[in-house]
């Protein structure tokens, strides 16, 4: 279906009469925001809208923003500016949309600005700017909806919002308190995804291990039984669907212990993404995070005893206001003891509205940069030792790309885009989405190299 440009490219829809309006979409931020984008696109696609690859020529542009850090806000404002320059008809949504004054001050001519999770408001704004031209015989949406990830993996969001009040974070003010989805709703979505060919389900939320707390772990009907909205119960049921199940944003609460046997049995991937942020109790107290890292170490040891293949990834912040050299050294010593498999490190960045900004004296930028360098040097040595222990082993790998006789994929210890890559030569046909067995011949701190066997 073709479209013709209107003489007023900034003031009116560009599609010809009776043609399906075209939407260009920009999705910024975390996987949870990506799920929001998928929901909006699924709704619009079901109403007959087409998706455009470029801003120029689309009837309008939707920009799903991130507002967590000042750098993320700057990226969002730049994306909005690019959409305004190339198209001129722009709707803004997402986390930064919860603070519309800052956006409107720079771009007063936006069609609409809505906050995060405001699906109805976004759709209503689209309807007003470019009414749908739905043809039920032509406009078909797959049962699993529109996905922005490759066909073989998908993010599965189980809740919105967060009850934690970390001093460096403004997510609760942007997305509200914890709101969990009924377990049956999550499982139905997961089942549709698996039936559509998804091989890996990446479970995400703001605080995955708090799932169900707000609805008192209520039961909901799934197949021939009732399933509680509990972290372990949901993981168990997801593990029966025949796909890899990867758990993200899991805080190390005691009940996480219940999931480790599922990992040992192969029901759930032996992988935990835990955003620990620091190890010095004094820093954790200023962050308003759980502060007993000795118990964390004991728990990690217990988990590994129950599931030796368990891979743990985490993120840490260096240069938090008031962080002393002694507190940073305490973090390094904890890191050496914990021997985490995958680790990311961020320099503290003030966020407008976060209480951490004035909690103590800021750490100078050059000190933050130096601490990040030392932190990553320490972790790289740990990661390299753990990776080299895998040489000679055979492991299943999910293939993300194939080029020139080399398949690039991920082991069970690697989440997409944030962890390592397995590079494997092959002689028999290998396709994207296949799960193949790879013999590891060589290891680096993050990537593995071998061949398909």
């Amino acid at each position: 279906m073709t479209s013709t440009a209107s003489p007023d490219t900034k003031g009116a829809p560009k599609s010809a009469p009776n043609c399906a309006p075209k939407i260009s979409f920009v999705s910024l931020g975390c996987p949870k925001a990506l799920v929001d984008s998928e929901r909006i696109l699924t709704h619009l696609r079901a109403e007959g809208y087409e998706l455009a690859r470029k801003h120029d020529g689309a009837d309008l542009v939707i920009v799903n923003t991130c507002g967590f850090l000042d750098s993320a806000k700057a990226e969002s404002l730049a994306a909005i500016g690019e959409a305004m320059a190339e198209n001129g008809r722009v709707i803004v949504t997402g986390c930064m949309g919860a603070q519309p004054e800052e956006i409107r001050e720079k771009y007063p001519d936006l069609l609409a600005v809505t906050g995060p999770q405001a699906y109805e408001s976004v759709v209503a704004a689209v309807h007003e700017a470019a009414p749908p031209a739905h043809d039920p015989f032509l406009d078909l949406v797959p049962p699993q909806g529109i996905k922005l990830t490759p066909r073989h993996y998908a993010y599965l969001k189980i809740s919105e919002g967060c009850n934690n009040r970390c001093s460096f974070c403004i997510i609760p003010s942007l997305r509200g308190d914890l709101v969990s989805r009924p377990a049956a709703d999550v499982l139905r979505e997961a089942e549709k995804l698996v039936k559509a060919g998804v091989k890996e389900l990446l479970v995400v939320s703001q605080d995955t291990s708090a799932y169900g707390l707000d609805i008192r772990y209520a039961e909901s009907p799934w197949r021939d039984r009732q399933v509680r909205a509990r972290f372990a119960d949901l993981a168990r049921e997801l593990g029966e669907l025949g796909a890899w199940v990867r758990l993200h944003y899991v805080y190390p609460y005691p009940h996480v212990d219940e999931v480790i046997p599922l990992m040992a049995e192969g029901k759930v991937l032996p992988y935990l993404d835990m955003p620990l942020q620091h190890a010095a109790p004094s820093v954790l107290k200023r962050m308003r995070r759980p502060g007993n890292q000795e118990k964390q170490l004991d728990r990690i040891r217990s988990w590994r005893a129950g599931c030796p293949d368990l891979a743990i990834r985490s993120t840490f912040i260096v240069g938090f206001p008031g962080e002393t050299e002694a507190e940073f050294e305490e973090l390094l010593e904890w890191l050496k003891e914990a021997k985490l498999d995958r680790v990311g490190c961020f320099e503290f960045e003030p966020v407008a509205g976060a209480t951490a900004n004035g909690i103590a004296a800021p750490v100078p930028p050059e000190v933050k940069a130096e601490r990040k360098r030392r932190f990553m040097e320490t972790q790289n040595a740990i990661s390299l030792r753990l990776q080299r222990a895998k040489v000679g082993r055979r492991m299943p790998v999910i293939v993300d790309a194939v080029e020139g006789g080399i398949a690039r994929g991920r082991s069970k210890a690697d989440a997409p885009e944030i962890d390592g890559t397995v590079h494997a030569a092959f002689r028999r046909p290998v396709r994207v989405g296949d799960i193949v067995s790879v013999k590891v011949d060589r290891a680096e701190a993050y990537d593995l190299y071998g061949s398909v066997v």
Side-chain angles (χ1 to χ4, degrees), residues 56-79:
D56 184 26
D59 289 276
L60 59 87
V61 181
I62 300 174
V63 180
N64 189 2
T65 59
C66 179
F68 183 51
L69 298 172
D70 288 347
S71 55
K73 290 182 179 180
E75 182 184 9
S76 295
L77 289 171

Side-chain angles (χ1 to χ4, degrees), residues 268-287:
V268 175
L269 290 186
Y271 177 99
L272 281 176
D273 177 1
M274 297 191 308
L276 296 172
Q277 310 302 5
H278 214 278
S282 51
V283 176
L284 290 167
K285 185 177 180 180
R286 297 199 296 275
M287 288 180 168

Side-chain angles (χ1 to χ4, degrees), residues 80 92 96-97 99-107 110 113:
I80 296 168
V92 173
M96 195 175 177
Q99 301 166 329
E101 301 82 8
E102 188 174 351
I103 300 172
R104 288 285 191 188
E105 182 180 352
K106 189 162 186 179
Y107 302 108
L110 293 168
V113 179

Side-chain angles (χ1 to χ4, degrees), residues 94-155:
C95 285
M96 195 175 177
Q99 301 166 329
E101 301 82 8
E102 188 174 351
I103 300 172
R104 288 285 191 188
E105 182 180 352
K106 189 162 186 179
Y107 302 108
D109 297 328
L110 293 168
L111 295 176
V113 179
T114 73
Q117 301 149 226
Y119 314 121
E120 296 84 358
S121 299
V122 175
V123 172
V126 172
H127 287 172
E128 183 174 351
H134 179 54
D135 183 342
F137 295 101
L138 297 177
D139 302 323
L140 302 179
V141 174
Q144 74 275 14
I146 304 298
K147 293 294 168 188
L148 299 177
T149 50
R151 184 173 180 269
H152 59 286
Y153 69 82
Y155 292 101

Side-chain angles (χ1 to χ4, degrees), residues 149-441:
T149 50
R151 184 173 180 269
H152 59 286
Y153 69 82
Y155 292 101
L156 183 67
K157 184 156 63 170
I158 64 174
S159 66
E160 302 281 4
C162 184
N163 287 345
N164 299 314
R165 294 296 184 265
C166 302
S167 63
F168 55 83
C169 181
I170 59 170
I171 289 296
S173 67
L174 298 176
R175 291 183 168 262
D177 289 337
L178 177 69
V179 179
S180 300
R181 299 174 63 192
D185 287 0
V186 176
L187 291 166
R188 277 191 288 270
E189 180 183 349
E191 184 179 48
K192 288 179 182 178
L193 291 169
V194 174
K195 286 182 177 179
V198 168
K199 303 283 186 69
E200 180 180 13
L201 297 168
L202 300 111
V203 178
V204 297
S205 67
Q206 206 62 45
D207 181 357
T208 297
S209 37
Y211 170 69
L213 177 65
D214 58 307
I215 54 176
R216 299 183 180 181
Y217 311 113
E219 294 183 337
S220 54
W222 165 245
R223 293 181 175 174
D224 59 348
R225 55 195 177 277
Q226 297 287 321
V227 179
R228 291 182 298 174
R230 288 185 72 252
F231 171 61
D233 294 58
L234 182 66
R236 183 177 298 107
E237 295 293 341
L238 289 171
E240 296 296 330
L241 296 179
W244 283 12
V245 178
R246 191 179 299 278
L247 302 174
H248 287 273
Y249 313 117
V250 178
Y251 287 69
Y253 303 144
H255 66 265
V256 176
D257 297 356
E258 300 174 38
V259 177
I260 303 304
L262 299 177
M263 296 178 175
E265 295 166 15
K267 300 291 186 183
V268 175
L269 290 186
Y271 177 99
L272 281 176
D273 177 1
M274 297 191 308
L276 296 172
Q277 310 302 5
H278 214 278
S282 51
V283 176
L284 290 167
K285 185 177 180 180
R286 297 199 296 275
M287 288 180 168
R288 296 182 190 164
R289 305 276 294 180
N292 193 329
Q293 295 303 79
E294 276 303 314
K295 285 188 177 180
Q296 307 281 31
L297 285 174
D298 289 342
R299 182 159 286 124
I300 289 171
R301 294 187 189 103
S302 173
W303 291 343
R304 285 175 170 154
C307 181
D309 289 335
L310 175 64
I312 300 175
R313 98 165 315 274
S314 190
T315 52
F316 293 86
I317 298 172
V318 296
F320 191 78
E323 183 188 57
T324 64
E325 179 63 21
E327 288 171 332
F328 176 68
E329 288 288 348
E330 195 169 353
L331 169 59
L332 292 185
E333 290 305 312
W334 188 92
L335 199 64
K336 294 172 185 176
E337 186 72 22
K339 298 180 179 65
L340 304 182
D341 300 78
R342 305 280 190 251
V343 171
C345 179
F346 302 91
E347 296 177 29
F348 174 79
E349 183 178 326
V351 179
T355 58
N357 299 341
I359 212 165
V363 176
E366 62 275 12
V367 176
K368 287 192 287 188
E370 174 65 10
R371 287 178 181 172
K372 180 180 180 180
R373 184 191 63 76
R374 290 162 58 195
F375 180 99
M376 290 312 301
E377 280 184 357
T378 300
Q379 178 57 39
N380 285 347
I382 295 168
S383 295
L384 184 58
R385 286 196 297 272
L386 294 174
Q387 289 280 90
R388 284 175 173 169
K390 300 174 183 178
V391 173
R393 291 177 54 183
R394 296 187 179 193
M395 60 179 59
V397 170
I398 189 165
V399 177
D400 290 330
V402 176
E403 185 177 357
I406 300 294
R408 295 194 305 276
R410 294 171 290 106
S411 72
K412 293 182 178 181
D414 300 298
E417 299 184 0
I418 57 174
D419 292 325
T421 300
V422 180
H423 306 261
F426 61 88
R427 293 183 178 178
R428 61 178 175 82
V430 173
R431 298 172 300 176
V432 171
D434 286 350
I435 297 177
V436 298
S437 179
V438 172
K439 182 177 182 295
V440 179
D441 302 321

